[in-house]
Amino acid sequence: MFKDNTSVPTLKTPANGQERSGNQEALLLKAYRLMRLARHMAATYEANRSTCKYVHSTSGGHEAIQIATGLQLQPWDYVSPYYRDDSLLLAMDFSPEELMMQLLAKADDPFSAGRSYYCHPSSRRDDRPLIPHQSSATGMQVIPATGMAQGISYLEKTNSGKLRKGPDGELPVVLCSLGDGSVTEGEVSEAWQCAVLWQLPIIYLVQDNEWGISATAAETRVMDAYEYAAGFKGLERMRIDGSDFEKSYQGMEAAIHYVRTERKPILVQASVPLLGHHTSGVRKEWYRSAEDLAAHDRRDPLPQLRQLLLEKGIKETTLAAIDDETAHTIAAAFEIAVEAAAPDPQTVQEHVFAPAAVTTETGTRTPANGSKVVMVDAALHAVEEILQQYPEAIFYGQDVGRRLGGVFREAATLAEKFGDHRVYNTAIQEAYIIGATAGLSAVGVKPVVEVQFADYIYPGFNQLVTEISKSCYLSAGKFPVQTLIRVPIGAYGGGGPYHSGSIETTLLSIKGIKVVYPSNGADMKGLMKAAFLDPNPVVMLEHKGLYWSKVPGTQDAMTIEPDKDYMIPLGKGRVALQAHPKDVQQGSSLCIITYGMGVYWAQAAAKAFPGNVEIIDLRTLYPLDEALVFDTVNKHGKCLVLTEEQLNNSFAQALAARIQQNCFRKLDAPVFTLGALNLPAIPINTTLESAMLPTPEKVEAAIRELLAY
């Protein structure tokens, strides 16, 4: 239909094209007014640089394609803009004053409450397209945007009431806007692969001004987005002169109609000039020649549209009146924004997380006549019960679908029971697996996803850090990301350097996510349910050495399986072993603060010191049960923090410092720490592996030394 077409007139246009032509004059005048508003805004910002001190970009040169797009999007659609899209937002009926409130980081910034850059919107207004949070990292928004289309496709297949539709049942589209320079990002490729593979209803609007900050297209790419898209078989594509409003409108009309009716993806490459600076902080005169600037000025969409209106009989006086009216509108809006209040410093810690759904332990942990279950089956049953209870829940990742059901069989039979539309495989693309959950969550789908091994989570860190962790905070609470990310972790039995690593310290350095680490079947199930219901991103670390209790000394990881209603609130630890009150009273006791496999190393070592050792299983690393930790340390006066991670600069050492600070007056000895040797990786040889990791014998030696104080 669209493939290889290079000019708008050859494209199939929607049936309502005749109706639109009757209102062409009104449409062109509306576009002209919006374009004038955008120009006056940019000029105002430039004339008041000391006031407009925060870095920003404007849409100068891009206005035609942005306005043509924004005017055709509907309130039931979804949009992922990028940082130069202020004309797009104006066309979607956001006011200049709203945009300026964000420009100046005011308390009344409706998008982020003064937390984020200009033109970084997030909106849940019923009368506008839904806009989730997206970062400034170029190209990174493409994965969450494609996740929105993935979620919409699922809601369509299941006839879900959560699917937003028009008044006559019109289906939504996703509009993902990006610059051509960002198309070289690998994560864009991951998103396009999924969009084509699953035939998702999304438009990728690439605004190509042939500059990537100070780098030209010629020096940074071997093809443009249109040419690149040809390699994605099934991705329709078109080129548009994005400086020509009429051609832009016709092209986007055809693209939107195609996606709204065919439910397939399309790429639109719009060639546009760059008239302004890259940003207010990277000015065009620093890197662009006079010849280049003149060439871009010749394609300015504003005089083109003005000339078209004159040719259609619109009077100069009418256009002059629009020029005056828009100038006054922008001046008044800017004055209001300048005088608006700054955010209250007391609000700076608000909206890091949405309120937790589970705050107390509920349900039956040990039902009568219950059967023991290994941890991997407790997880499997928890996910099965989630899928049964919540039709909006899906589960995907590498090899979790039909045939294998996960490399640890942690998803066995789920695809057979719930269908390939709810439990399915993905390609090897951790960035997409993780990042798409932001888009899925935004449309009301509740994803459970899996990264196959902890060592392979790093390609997904970009999405976890830039998109997911910041979404709730930078959208002022409008877009917490509800996602449960399962990650098998830990070393045992010669798994080797790329299947045995521990990553909790790296995860805990990210603010805005929660990290759970169960050590037994009952906790696995109870925490899994609470993590799924939590409206925030949760990473669940599941020690593969505990999955089947095959490691000697880990039989207690098998527990009676709790009922399906059992849940444990995140942030509540448990006492895995109590010291004898007499030893505590005599001052001959200590506590071990640990989690995961450390619980079993500690229990094995404690057998040599009956009554002297109390063990705290943290269960959740963030939020952390500080009250339990500090109360326990204060009771005993001696503490060992035990971890499987390499020790230097670890979570364990950071926790030891917090214990030292909060419990100093009650301590009878330094806070001890024990972890793996500080090596770059886990050796595959089991003897070397054992030499690197903590063992019960090493823990016993640390206990003996600590009790000697």
Side-chain angles (χ1 to χ4, degrees):
M1 182 184 297
F2 292 105
K3 195 83 71 179
D4 295 323
N5 287 317
T6 58
S7 61
V8 172
T10 64
L11 303 179
K12 178 187 282 189
T13 54
N16 64 354
Q18 293 282 344
E19 299 173 18
R20 177 182 53 77
S21 64
N23 299 315
Q24 187 181 40
E25 183 178 303
L27 172 66
L28 293 176
L29 283 170
K30 184 173 186 178
Y32 183 76
R33 182 180 183 277
L34 290 168
M35 208 175 287
R36 270 298 183 190
L37 285 173
R39 285 297 170 90
H40 287 309
M41 286 198 309
T44 300
Y45 304 162
E46 186 68 11
N48 295 273
R49 289 175 60 190
S50 60
T51 302
C52 305
K53 59 186 179 179
Y54 301 114
V55 65
H56 58 271
S57 294
T58 57
S59 57
H62 295 228
E63 298 100 334
I65 185 62
Q66 290 185 20
I67 293 169
T69 302
L71 288 175
Q72 299 184 74
L73 294 169
Q74 300 297 333
W76 55 90
D77 290 330
Y78 298 80
V79 179
S80 180
Y82 89 124
Y83 55 79
R84 199 181 294 282
D85 280 350
D86 53 8
S87 286
L88 176 67
L89 295 174
L90 289 173
M92 290 162 56
D93 212 24
F94 290 96
S95 70
E97 185 179 317
E98 289 176 302
L99 301 185
M100 292 174 186
M101 289 293 182
Q102 187 169 53
L103 171 83
L104 302 178
K106 298 293 187 171
D108 289 337
D109 159 21
F111 306 129
S112 71
R115 290 168 164 82
S116 198
Y117 307 97
Y118 179 66
C119 206
H120 283 60
S122 56
S123 174
R124 283 193 178 273
R125 291 182 56 167
D126 292 337
D127 60 342
R128 314 279 167 84
L130 185 141
I131 308 174
H133 162 266
Q134 57 277 304
S135 76
S136 292
T138 54
M140 297 305 98
Q141 80 275 26
V142 181
I143 284 179
T146 306
M148 285 196 288
Q150 180 186 349
I152 290 167
S153 181
Y154 174 73
L155 295 176
E156 284 183 60
K157 289 174 183 174
T158 56
N159 296 311
S160 172
K162 291 181 175 290
L163 180 65
R164 289 156 52 111
K165 294 183 181 180
D168 296 318
E170 301 95 331
L171 293 172
V173 302
V174 178
L175 187 283
C176 177
S177 174
L178 63 157
D180 196 76
S182 65
V183 173
T184 55
E185 288 277 5
E187 293 182 24
V188 174
S189 171
E190 291 192 20
W192 289 4
Q193 288 274 0
C194 291
V196 176
L197 179 66
W198 297 327
Q199 291 291 277
L200 302 179
I202 184 168
I203 303 160
Y204 299 105
L205 173 58
V206 178
Q207 300 175 53
D208 186 358
N209 60 35
E210 298 194 339
W211 281 99
I213 309 184
S214 66
T216 65
E219 63 186 303
T220 57
R221 67 189 191 204
V222 297
M223 64 191 82
D224 64 22
Y226 177 83
E227 294 163 328
Y228 184 45
F232 294 84
K233 185 178 179 180
L235 178 60
E236 297 292 351
R237 59 198 175 113
M238 72 163 84
R239 279 191 168 122
I240 292 179
D241 179 355
S243 69
D244 184 309
F245 177 77
E246 277 198 309
K247 290 179 179 178
S248 294
Y249 195 94
Q250 292 168 15
M252 291 308 300
E253 185 177 35
I256 291 170
H257 178 74
Y258 171 75
V259 177
R260 202 177 298 284
T261 56
E262 298 295 322
R263 318 308 289 155
K264 295 177 181 179
I266 187 170
L267 176 131
V268 179
Q269 185 215 13
S271 174
V272 293
L274 177 61
L275 302 183
H277 310 289
H278 168 68
T279 67
S280 57
V282 182
R283 303 182 63 77
K284 59 186 178 182
E285 58 267 20
W286 294 351
Y287 60 91
R288 297 176 66 186
S289 67
E291 293 78 13
D292 174 76
L293 291 169
H296 282 250
D297 283 341
R298 286 193 290 272
R299 296 189 61 214
D300 187 338
L302 182 58
Q304 289 186 61
L305 182 55
R306 184 183 182 89
Q307 182 60 34
L308 177 63
L309 285 163
L310 292 172
E311 291 172 0
K312 290 184 178 294
I314 305 300
K315 297 184 185 312
E316 282 273 11
T317 54
T318 300
L319 299 181
I322 292 175
D323 295 346
D324 289 343
E325 178 267 326
T326 51
H328 283 104
T329 296
I330 294 305
F334 188 69
E335 183 177 351
I336 291 170
V338 169
E339 296 300 321
D344 184 344
Q346 297 299 315
T347 67
V348 71
Q349 296 188 76
E350 293 177 0
H351 305 304
V352 176
F353 293 108
V358 178
T359 56
T360 57
E361 187 170 352
T362 59
T364 305
R365 181 180 176 96
T366 310
N369 303 317
S371 300
K372 277 199 169 186
V373 64
V374 293
M375 274 184 68
V376 73
D377 285 346
L380 172 64
H381 298 163
V383 174
E384 181 173 349
E385 290 164 7
I386 286 167
L387 292 169
Q388 288 170 345
Q389 187 173 356
Y390 299 96
E392 64 271 32
I394 62 173
F395 182 32
Y396 67 86
Q398 297 168 33
D399 298 302
V400 303
R402 197 181 299 269
R403 290 186 296 276
L404 186 59
V407 295
F408 299 104
R409 303 294 289 158
E410 71 282 6
T413 75
L414 292 181
E416 286 82 356
K417 291 178 179 177
F418 297 98
D420 295 331
H421 65 299
R422 296 191 69 190
V423 180
Y424 51 93
N425 294 324
T426 66
I428 302 170
Q429 42 185 217
E430 288 82 5
Y432 188 88
I433 291 169
I434 291 173
T437 66
L440 288 158
S441 175
V443 304
V445 177
K446 297 179 178 174
V448 180
V449 303
E450 181 179 306
V451 173
Q452 203 163 77
F453 290 93
D455 305 81
Y456 299 136
I457 199 172
Y458 296 104
F461 257 66
N462 205 355
Q463 291 291 322
L464 193 60
V465 174
T466 62
E467 306 297 334
I468 291 175
S469 71
K470 295 177 173 60
S471 183
C472 187
Y473 186 70
L474 293 182
S475 68
K478 292 189 293 297
F479 286 95
V481 177
Q482 181 172 16
T483 178
L484 172 54
I485 302 168
R486 298 181 60 188
V487 185
I489 192 172
Y492 84 102
Y498 293 102
H499 296 82
S500 306
S502 292
I503 59 169
E504 55 265 34
T505 293
T506 312
L507 285 170
L508 291 165
S509 70
I510 305 170
K511 313 310 173 192
I513 66 171
K514 299 183 179 183
V515 181
V516 177
Y517 203 143
S519 68
N520 61 72
D523 287 349
M524 172 76 87
K525 190 169 185 181
L527 289 168
M528 183 85 75
K529 295 289 186 73
F532 172 79
L533 292 175
D534 200 296
N536 304 288
V538 181
V539 179
M540 175 165 276
L541 302 177
E542 305 173 16
H543 200 294
K544 60 190 195 304
L546 300 176
Y547 266 158
W548 297 283
S549 291
K550 288 183 177 180
V551 176
T554 62
Q555 288 73 25
D556 286 349
M558 294 176 59
T559 64
I560 299 294
E561 181 171 2
D563 281 345
K564 64 171 59 178
D565 61 350
Y566 180 63
M567 287 183 283
I568 302 170
L570 307 189
K572 294 295 181 183
R574 71 179 181 99
V575 179
L577 178 68
Q578 281 192 319
H580 195 283
K582 184 176 71 172
D583 291 292
V584 176
Q585 186 178 14
Q586 292 176 347
S588 58
S589 67
L590 59 76
C591 62
I592 300 177
I593 313 297
T594 189
Y595 54 94
M597 188 65 79
V599 173
Y600 300 97
W601 292 328
Q603 286 179 341
K607 291 177 182 178
F609 308 92
N612 299 111
V613 178
E614 189 150 315
I615 300 171
I616 299 298
D617 179 359
L618 293 175
R619 300 198 293 195
T620 303
L621 307 187
Y622 194 90
L624 184 69
D625 193 344
E626 289 188 342
L628 176 62
V629 171
F630 297 156
D631 288 349
T632 305
V633 174
N634 285 332
K635 180 171 72 172
H636 296 281
K638 301 183 183 72
C639 174
L640 167 66
V641 181
L642 174 62
T643 180
E644 183 172 327
E645 277 196 297
Q646 293 94 325
L647 192 58
N648 275 7
N649 305 309
S650 65
F651 161 68
Q653 286 191 332
L655 178 55
R658 286 154 70 185
I659 292 170
Q660 197 106 327
Q661 182 176 355
N662 284 274
C663 305
F664 181 75
R665 289 178 176 80
K666 296 286 188 177
L667 289 174
D668 297 322
V671 178
F672 276 31
T673 55
L674 178 62
L677 299 179
N678 298 301
L679 305 175
I682 313 292
I684 194 168
N685 178 276
T686 53
T687 302
L688 295 177
E689 178 189 78
S690 179
M692 178 182 178
L693 295 176
T695 62
E697 293 75 23
K698 295 176 185 178
V699 177
E700 183 178 334
I703 293 172
R704 197 175 306 279
E705 182 180 357
L706 189 51
L707 285 175
Y709 272 83

